[in-house]
Structure formats: structure tokens, C-alpha cells
Amino acid sequence: MSKVEVVSERCKGCGLCVLACPKKNLSLGDEYNAQGYAYVKFSSDGKCTGCSFCAELCPDMALRVYKQEKK
Amino acid sequence: MSAQPKLKKVFDRPQCLKDVPYHYCPGCHHGVIHRLLAEQIDNFGLRGKTLGAASVGCSVLIYDYFDVDIVEAPHGRAAAVATGLKRARPDSFVFTYQGDGDLAAIGTAEIVHAANRGENITVVFVNNAVFGMTGGQMAPTTLEGQVTTTSPYGRSAAEAGLPIRVTEMLSTLEGTAYAARVAVDNIKNLKKAKAALKRAVTYQQKGWGFSFVEFLSSCPTNWKMTPEEANARVGKEMADYFPLGVYKDVRAN
Ligand SMILES: Cc1ncc(C[n+]2csc(CCOP(=O)(O)OP(=O)(O)O)c2C)c(N)n1
Ligand code: SF4
Ligand code: SF4
Ligand code: SF4
Ligand SMILES: [Mg+2]
């Protein structure tokens, strides 16, 4: 399954990626990074498609997307 | 351990952006706009021959982020500085990156005349309807009724006039070859924004003349909104008054 890696130290907890994900795979967590922001968490329960909408709309480039290659 | 599925990295930061954190507020669109410009510099292979003219505003520190040569222009003068850069180094890719306070207030003369002369430069104009850096004062692009620190009862058209639609205004000039207004509030608009920037860079690379891309942008901090609310305002109130689209594309087939 495709997946998203959160660079937690770069995330500012703005939530724009949460809005962007059509599969609701992202949510704001309750753990804080060194900058003092509650960073976003990725859960693949919603079946990530690797569409990258979240990462494209993240102002801080805090997301990296890995897409599952077709067999 | 079970066999891992083959995963391909499909999204990462552009090469010509340094791997450092931005100083921007959470949810500020400046970050996305930087990245879209950087992607085009990478796509066109221009990293080693790009000269930027930075402006005064929240994006004043873009030389800390772009791994290209950047000249810091005095407030409002980026289009004049870029004119000099391009004329002295015609083989370079020359861009300006300017806010609305910078370009549409103190820098009105410079942008109008650079466009009118048809300078072969690319202007990235970030319209967030306020002077962000200095604490959210009213800009020429502030919406009617919008509350700012210098329009505490909302912008009054009787006192301050209505907001300037810069893209439309510059499109009337013969020297402007390409002009578009875009936004990055959702994926659909972001894709159009990418296409507009690509077209603007193409214009300069082919020597087709002055190219201009206005981004409607958010300023959650000075709008006193959450990032989500500010993002929604871009797509609604702002795009209602400042319609998105390509206004001029003289080389379109
Ligand atoms: C000559 C001069 N006058 C005024 C200022 C104060 N000043 C700094 S930034 C700014 C406006 C910035 O607004 P904008 O260009 O919209 O950028 P934003 O921060 O909103 O991205 C002003 C008036 C200055 N630095 N220099
Ligand atoms: S890549 Fe697409 S599906 Fe996966 S988390 Fe991001 S927006 Fe959601
Ligand atoms: S858009 Fe980026 S900075 Fe904002 S919450 Fe998501 S990962 Fe964090
Ligand atoms: S003040 Fe506004 S424009 Fe400046 S970084 Fe913050 S949100 Fe962005
Ligand atoms: Mg501004």
C-alpha cells in the first residue's frame, strides 16, 4: 500500500493536508515537535492511494509520499 | 518479516530549495508558492542560471530558501532591479517575487513600467490582501469591508477606493505577454497554478516577453483566522473579487 512519511520536525500542524486527503488518512496528533507544533499523523487504514494531494498542499514540505508500484 | 511492496517516492522537495524550515506562519501559502516556483526552476534545469529579485515583505528572506542567486531589492523596486539583471545577463532566468504591499502600493510605478516596456522577466505576485510582515495593514488589494489594523471598521470604498485588480490592469498594457491569476487553496487550483508558472517560464525562455502570475494567498495570522478558515477565504471571498484564470497569453494558438 502507498504511504506518507511525516517529517515531524517540519510540520506546523496547520491541518491543510488533513483537508486535502480524500481518504482521511491524516489527522492532527497530540504529540509536539521541538518547534512546539502538534504534528500530523498518518494512518494507512483509509487506504492511501499515493495521490500526493496532501504533500502538494503542505506549505512546509513536511510530507513525503511513496506510491505502490503497479505489478 | 513479510515481503515489502515496491514503493516509489512520488513526492519530495525540489532540488533548488534548501532543506531548511521556513519562518512562515502555519498554513501560510508563501511556502507552497515558493515550492511551485522552485519546481519549475528544476524542471527547466535553470538552477545554475537563475537570478531572483526579492522584495520586502514576509518573503524578504527567500535567499535563505532558494539555492539560486538573489538580489534584495529596495521595497517595491524588484521589477526595476530585475530589469537591470536581465539586461546585464540576458542568458539568465530572471524572476521577481513580490507581495501586494510591495508590488501594488510602493512599487506600482516599477511594475507598470516594467510590464509596459515588455521586459523579458517573470513576476510572481503574492496577493494576500494585506501588508503581512508589518502587522496586517490595509493594502491596495484589501477587500471592501475587510478589517485590517488600519481599517478597523472594514475597508471603505468611499475613503480608500476599491481593491486594484493588478492582473487585469497589467493585461491592458501592450508590453505584457502573459498574465494569469491562480490560487493554491485546493488541488485543482494548484494544478492550474503549476501550468501557469510553467507557461510564464516558457515565455521568458523563448524570449516572448513580460510574464506575470498573481497568486491569491492566505495570511491566517493577520486575517486572524485559522489556516483552514484562511484557506477557505481565498477560494470564496478573494476569488469572487479577483477571478482566477489566464488573462493574456499572446502566443496561445
Ligand atoms: C521604504 C520602506 N517603506 C516601508 C517599509 C515597511 N514595510 C515592510 S514590509 C511592507 C509591506 C509588505 O507587504 P506585502 O508586500 O504585501 O508582503 P507580505 O508580507 O504580505 O507577504 C512594508 C510597508 C519598508 N521596509 N521600506
Ligand atoms: S497521498 Fe493521497 S491518499 Fe495518501 S494520505 Fe496523501 S492525500 Fe491521502
Ligand atoms: S499541511 Fe504540512 S505543516 Fe500542515 S499539518 Fe499537514 S504536514 Fe503539517
Ligand atoms: S504574517 Fe501572513 S504572510 Fe506573513 S508569514 Fe504569517 S501568514 Fe504568511
Ligand atoms: Mg501582502
Side-chain angles (χ1 to χ4, degrees):
Chain A
M1 194 184 294
S2 301
K3 67 165 189 180
V4 170
E5 215 172 72
V6 180
V7 188
S8 59
E9 281 310 315
R10 290 289 164 80
C11 174
K12 293 179 182 164
C14 72
L16 294 183
C17 59
V18 178
L19 287 177
C21 177
K23 302 283 182 186
K24 310 248 173 292
N25 290 332
L26 296 156
S27 56
L28 288 176
D30 46 18
E31 283 172 54
Y32 292 82
N33 62 20
Q35 293 193 82
Y37 295 119
Y39 55 88
V40 90
K41 295 271 172 80
F42 170 76
S43 127
S44 56
D45 300 351
K47 292 192 175 24
C48 176
T49 60
C51 68
S52 300
F53 292 178
C54 54
E56 291 276 0
L57 291 163
C58 170
D60 288 277
M61 287 171 289
L63 302 172
R64 291 185 193 130
V65 184
Y66 299 84
K67 194 175 171 95
Q68 174 154 19
E69 299 207 292
K70 291 225 173 70
K71 280 171 214 133
Chain B
M1 221 171 105
S2 59
Q4 292 289 310
K6 271 227 167 68
L7 289 177
K8 188 175 166 237
K9 205 184 227 185
V10 286
F11 184 94
D12 204 353
R13 52 185 313 120
Q15 294 289 307
C16 78
L17 275 187
K18 296 175 198 170
D19 193 3
V20 294
Y22 290 135
H23 70 283
Y24 301 116
C25 308
C28 174
H29 286 175
H30 268 303
V32 181
I33 300 166
H34 285 16
R35 197 196 84 234
L36 296 189
L37 176 60
E39 283 177 0
Q40 293 309 326
I41 293 173
D42 280 1
N43 288 346
F44 282 81
L46 296 170
R47 186 177 177 187
K49 48 181 284 193
T50 294
L51 297 173
S55 66
V56 178
C58 280
S59 58
V60 69
L61 300 173
I62 57 168
Y63 47 76
D64 281 345
Y65 305 135
F66 282 81
D67 199 5
V68 302
D69 288 331
I70 291 185
V71 179
E72 185 60 59
H75 200 12
R77 316 301 183 231
V81 169
T83 297
L85 293 173
K86 186 70 184 182
R87 290 187 180 199
R89 293 266 187 273
D91 291 338
S92 301
F93 169 69
V94 176
F95 74 88
T96 77
Y97 187 104
Q98 302 175 257
D100 47 333
D102 186 89
L103 181 144
I106 192 169
T108 316
E110 283 74 12
I111 193 65
V112 166
H113 292 289
N116 193 51
R117 292 190 304 268
E119 297 296 340
N120 194 30
I121 60 172
T122 299
V123 172
V124 176
F125 171 46
V126 181
N127 175 5
N128 59 11
V130 279
F131 289 15
M133 184 198 200
T134 45
Q137 292 82 4
M138 181 171 66
T141 42
T142 296
L143 297 169
E144 189 179 11
Q146 185 179 335
V147 172
T148 70
T149 49
T150 49
S151 60
Y153 307 109
R155 180 184 183 139
S156 145
E159 283 175 12
L162 287 166
I164 300 179
R165 294 185 178 103
V166 178
T167 299
E168 288 86 330
M169 182 176 81
L170 295 181
S171 294
T172 67
L173 301 173
E174 288 303 321
T176 299
Y178 181 80
R181 184 184 289 117
V182 298
V184 292
D185 60 318
N186 61 43
I187 196 73
K188 210 172 120 225
N189 285 340
L190 182 132
K191 288 194 168 146
K192 289 183 188 160
K194 284 190 182 202
L197 268 181
K198 185 174 176 198
R199 189 83 179 137
V201 177
T202 302
Y203 263 76
Q204 181 173 163
Q205 290 308 99
K206 294 201 180 276
W208 289 346
F210 184 83
S211 53
F212 185 87
V213 181
E214 172 175 352
F215 283 82
L216 299 183
S217 187
S218 73
C219 179
T221 299
N222 287 300
W223 294 358
K224 315 228 181 304
M225 288 179 166
T226 64
E228 186 176 340
E229 289 164 349
N231 193 66
R233 180 191 235 178
V234 169
K236 292 188 190 111
E237 287 160 67
M238 283 193 78
D240 276 355
Y241 186 84
F242 299 110
L244 304 177
V246 176
Y247 285 79
K248 203 165 184 187
D249 188 351
V250 294
R251 298 279 180 151
N253 308 319

